[in-house]
Amino acid sequence: MCGIVGYIGLREAAPIIVEGLKRLEYRGYDSFGVATISGGIELDKHQGRISDSSGSAIRLTGKIGIGHTRWATHGVPNDINAHPHMDCSGRIAVVHNGIIENYAELKRQLISRGHIFRSETDTEVVAHLVEEAYASEKDLLSAVQKVVPMLTGSYALLVIATGEDRIIAARYASPLVLGVGDGEFFAASDMTPVIDHTERAIFLEDGDVASISHEKIDLFHEGKTVQRPLELIDWSGEDTKKGGFPHYMLKEIYEQPQAFYNSVRSVTGEILPASVKNAESVTIIACGSSYNAGLIFKYLLENTCAIPVRLDFASEFKYFPPPVRGLVIGISQSGETADTISALKQAKVHNCTSLAITNVLGSSISRIADFTLFMRAGPEISVAATKSFIAQLAVLMQITSFLRNGEFEDVLRKGHQAIEEVLLMDLSEAVRLCLNARSIFYVGRGPFYPVSLEGSLKMKEISYIHAEGYAAGELKHGPFALLSPETPVVAICMPGETYGVMMSNIKEMKARGAPVIALGEEGDLELSEVVDIFIPLPVTHPFVQVLTSLIILQLLAYYTAVGLNRDVDKPRNLAKSVTVE
Ligand code: AGP
């Protein structure tokens, strides 16, 4: 996934674009580039992160420009493969987020017609196709409208050309939002680079092409003029900054009481679709942390409402669709995860009712699903999901409560207080144990099994320590062979019908030399005496214990990663939203 930014207005474009790309680095950061129009096209692009760059891009001149921060899909990260890409004449520049699936054939045809390619990317074919179309159309908008039907795959494109006082934008299956300022316009992958300048947004739909001049935005869909609503985004610019925290991730962990509080209240009886209220079975499609949130929901809903819940990895569902019927829920923080979107489209083919749970207004998933419930987590910048995960649980727990006639309403309305309580827990002893671990196992039962999955995902994705989450009863069926003093186990052992068997599992692991860090209810002396490190959680409702245990596991991963000097907000090899399959 990549980030794109465009600007046209009264100010110099380059500084605005560079700052915008820095806000979008969480979408990809292996290379970057900017192009502006100043008579001809000025271009500056490099391998590496824009936030580490010399700042040469800022010196480009002109009041029209486009920029790109890359997560490589075709072609290694280097100066040549960085966007923007140019046509043969150097008069046309293109930035792109997505994948042009038929680029190889297009490239072969273009080369046979004499075009010279400089890069290994799929995107460059767009620049040369626009070059050809422009030669006949003599108009950039018409040229782009002629080219986009030739492309298969996904794209959010921004195109500029010498002699054209406008930016042409086109969107299909990759997000693209336009910002409407005072005498200036913006285009970007999402609102984070725009919100500092304006809260007025137009979200393009798949198949839209926009002509953005100094005076106005004209929108087209399949060649016909079309209108899209002007929306007001209630994020503040401050929301997308660190606010004094050392990392976005810690800031977002500390924002979780508010995220939970807001998200619980965002789900009301009025907006809950009948297909949810009357659900006889639920299929959940998601990836990564969103999948783990769905698995927690499975335990809660099946245990309280006896409604069967099926979980599918989105990446599997599309190619191996189960005999699905009824309500399908797609959970996606970004709303742009390609696997989840493809799978939800597949589910709709089976005439299922689709519900999206997402954090991003105007995101692709919200335009595909029959219904959408928006989490109110606010922008999540760090690659690791934290407040968005808790916000997903807030929505899912609120659904569970509605299906039990509001049984958990009070619990959920106060859930943020317990989250606040554990934020300040001192985990330094547990962190020390994790810092030198060869592997870390996380075990739990019931909803604390997916809590273990999520805790291990956080640990591995930001500390780079191998970590695995297991249903506690499963560890003895093989993984016990891996236990040693170098493989600490994080065990979640809360009161209830599995307490006794969890205690037995913990003793078995201790007997094999593994140090055990246990999360348990405060005051549990029996547990604290058995384990190496005991982390007490407040005595609360089981739903809230799920939340507080997650906060602890997020913090454990965060401080371990900091202790290992990892790039916490932009871990190696990852991106915030994976918009490619
Ligand atoms: C979680 O910390 C990761 N960032 C990743 O697993 C993420 O949850 C997954 O890519 C799904 O993203 P989505 O919720 O935006 O669809």
Side-chain angles (χ1 to χ4, degrees):
M1 179 198 72
C2 306
I4 62 176
V5 182
Y7 173 82
I8 178 167
L10 308 169
R11 295 183 280 170
E12 283 301 294
I16 294 168
I17 290 168
V18 167
E19 190 49 40
L21 291 177
K22 289 177 181 175
R23 292 292 179 78
L24 288 180
E25 269 196 318
Y26 69 91
R27 298 177 65 88
Y29 36 84
D30 59 46
S31 53
F32 70 92
V34 178
T36 58
I37 296 181
S38 180
I41 287 189
E42 294 183 7
L43 178 68
D44 184 88
K45 60 181 191 172
H46 305 277
Q47 181 179 353
R49 294 177 179 180
I50 191 159
S51 44
D52 300 339
S53 72
S54 64
S56 53
I58 280 187
R59 290 189 281 278
L60 299 183
T61 60
K63 295 180 169 43
I64 301 172
I66 57 177
H68 185 276
T69 183
R70 185 169 182 245
W71 185 59
T73 56
H74 294 74
V76 295
N78 61 24
D79 294 1
I80 295 170
N81 289 332
H83 300 210
H85 289 289
M86 312 286 281
D87 68 321
C88 300
S89 70
R91 294 168 43 87
I92 293 167
V94 176
V95 293
H96 166 227
N97 175 32
I99 287 190
I100 309 297
E101 289 169 5
N102 62 333
Y103 88 97
E105 177 53 25
L106 292 170
K107 184 169 182 176
R108 196 188 57 75
Q109 292 167 9
L110 285 160
I111 291 171
S112 70
R113 294 196 294 267
H115 289 265
I116 307 295
F117 279 77
R118 303 177 186 88
S119 81
E120 305 158 273
T121 67
D122 54 330
T123 304
E124 190 179 348
V125 298
V126 177
H128 295 284
L129 288 171
V130 172
E131 175 187 8
E132 286 189 343
Y134 194 75
S136 57
E137 301 293 324
K138 308 288 185 230
D139 172 88
L140 192 57
L141 170 62
S142 310
V144 173
Q145 286 176 315
K146 189 174 177 184
V147 165
V148 290
M150 303 176 196
L151 309 177
T152 61
S154 58
Y155 54 81
L157 291 169
L158 298 179
V159 185
I160 59 175
T162 303
E164 288 270 352
D165 261 358
R166 56 184 169 169
I167 297 172
I168 305 299
R171 173 217 155 112
Y172 188 84
S174 278
L176 192 51
V177 60
L178 307 184
V180 180
D182 297 323
E184 57 187 14
F185 296 101
F186 306 81
S189 299
D190 64 36
M191 279 301 284
T192 39
V194 180
I195 198 70
D196 263 350
H197 306 284
T198 178
E199 72 283 352
R200 287 171 288 167
I202 297 172
F203 290 91
L204 297 191
E205 300 275 357
D206 283 352
D208 285 359
V209 176
S211 170
I212 313 164
S213 71
H214 281 282
E215 293 75 34
K216 61 188 170 92
I217 293 174
D218 291 314
L219 292 175
F220 303 87
H221 190 89
E222 287 157 13
K224 298 189 182 66
T225 300
V226 69
Q227 296 299 323
R228 298 293 179 212
L230 183 67
E231 308 192 32
L232 290 182
I233 305 304
D234 62 355
W235 288 353
S236 75
E238 209 40 50
D239 286 342
T240 63
K241 291 197 182 81
K242 285 185 200 172
F245 285 88
H247 300 102
Y248 283 112
M249 183 175 177
L250 191 60
K251 171 175 177 269
E252 287 152 9
I253 287 174
Y254 273 73
E255 287 173 341
Q256 291 184 116
Q258 190 64 56
F260 186 81
Y261 180 93
N262 294 344
S263 299
V264 162
R265 286 155 180 80
S266 71
V267 181
T268 63
E270 294 68 49
I271 68 164
L272 209 53
S275 53
V276 173
K277 291 175 182 170
N278 307 322
E280 290 172 3
S281 70
V282 176
T283 298
I284 293 181
I285 303 171
C287 305
S289 287
S290 296
Y291 176 92
N292 295 336
L295 191 50
I296 290 172
F297 179 57
K298 170 184 169 68
Y299 277 95
L300 302 184
L301 192 68
E302 288 185 341
N303 188 34
T304 56
C305 301
I307 295 174
V309 179
R310 177 194 168 96
L311 252 297
D312 281 283
F313 286 114
S315 52
E316 289 291 295
F317 184 95
K318 177 181 176 184
Y319 298 101
F320 308 100
V324 67
R325 59 184 64 79
L327 177 65
V328 175
I329 302 179
I331 304 175
S332 175
Q333 185 284 130
S334 63
E336 302 301 343
T337 298
D339 288 331
T340 307
I341 287 169
S342 306
L344 205 58
K345 284 178 179 173
Q346 174 82 13
K348 291 188 70 167
V349 166
H350 295 279
N351 295 321
C352 293
T353 303
S354 56
L355 169 70
I357 296 177
T358 186
N359 193 37
V360 180
L361 195 65
S363 59
S364 299
I365 200 170
S366 65
R367 297 168 186 282
I368 292 160
D370 300 318
F371 304 99
T372 298
L373 293 176
F374 287 103
M375 305 122 67
R376 289 281 181 265
E380 185 173 73
I381 308 300
S382 188
V383 164
T386 51
K387 65 174 183 174
S388 66
F389 184 82
I390 290 295
Q392 286 169 351
L393 290 184
V395 170
L396 294 165
M397 289 177 175
Q398 189 70 322
I399 290 172
T400 306
S401 183
F402 269 107
L403 294 176
R404 290 281 296 192
N405 303 315
E407 179 179 347
F408 310 113
E409 190 68 31
D410 286 348
V411 167
L412 297 178
R413 284 181 170 273
K414 296 182 191 126
H416 61 286
Q417 294 165 356
I419 295 173
E420 214 131 30
E421 202 178 322
V422 296
L423 280 174
L424 298 172
M425 191 84 77
D426 174 16
L427 301 178
S428 48
E429 217 188 334
V431 169
R432 262 196 302 282
L433 198 53
C434 292
L435 282 174
N436 305 308
R438 187 174 68 238
S439 284
I440 305 172
F441 291 96
Y442 291 70
V443 295
R445 288 177 182 263
F448 297 105
Y449 160 47
V451 168
S452 301
L453 293 176
E454 177 59 14
S456 68
L457 176 59
K458 289 287 95 58
M459 182 62 83
K460 69 185 116 193
E461 73 175 320
I462 64 173
S463 75
Y464 311 158
I465 296 172
H466 174 254
E468 284 192 71
Y470 267 92
E474 268 305 291
L475 218 64
K476 56 184 178 291
H477 299 289
F480 264 21
L482 295 173
L483 294 182
S484 77
E486 289 78 45
T487 60
V489 176
V490 178
I492 307 166
C493 181
M494 305 306 281
E497 62 180 333
T498 61
Y499 179 85
V501 71
M502 271 303 294
M503 285 293 281
S504 303
N505 293 153
I506 289 170
K507 289 169 186 167
E508 289 152 5
M509 293 178 240
K510 285 286 300 163
R512 284 155 182 78
V516 176
I517 301 166
L519 280 64
E521 199 166 79
E522 62 193 16
D524 186 341
L525 295 177
E526 185 187 357
L527 178 60
S528 62
E529 280 161 10
V530 166
V531 298
D532 299 81
I533 296 173
F534 176 64
I535 299 174
L537 297 177
V539 179
T540 56
H541 185 279
F543 280 27
V544 179
Q545 285 172 342
V546 165
L547 303 172
T548 53
S549 58
L550 280 161
I551 305 303
I552 295 297
L553 300 186
Q554 291 168 354
L555 290 168
L556 182 61
Y558 171 77
Y559 286 112
T560 301
V562 169
L564 293 171
N565 255 334
R566 303 303 191 211
D567 190 338
V568 169
D569 286 327
K570 298 175 201 142
R572 67 186 181 198
N573 306 336
L574 299 181
K576 180 60 182 172
S577 167
V578 184
T579 56
V580 293
E581 285 199 5

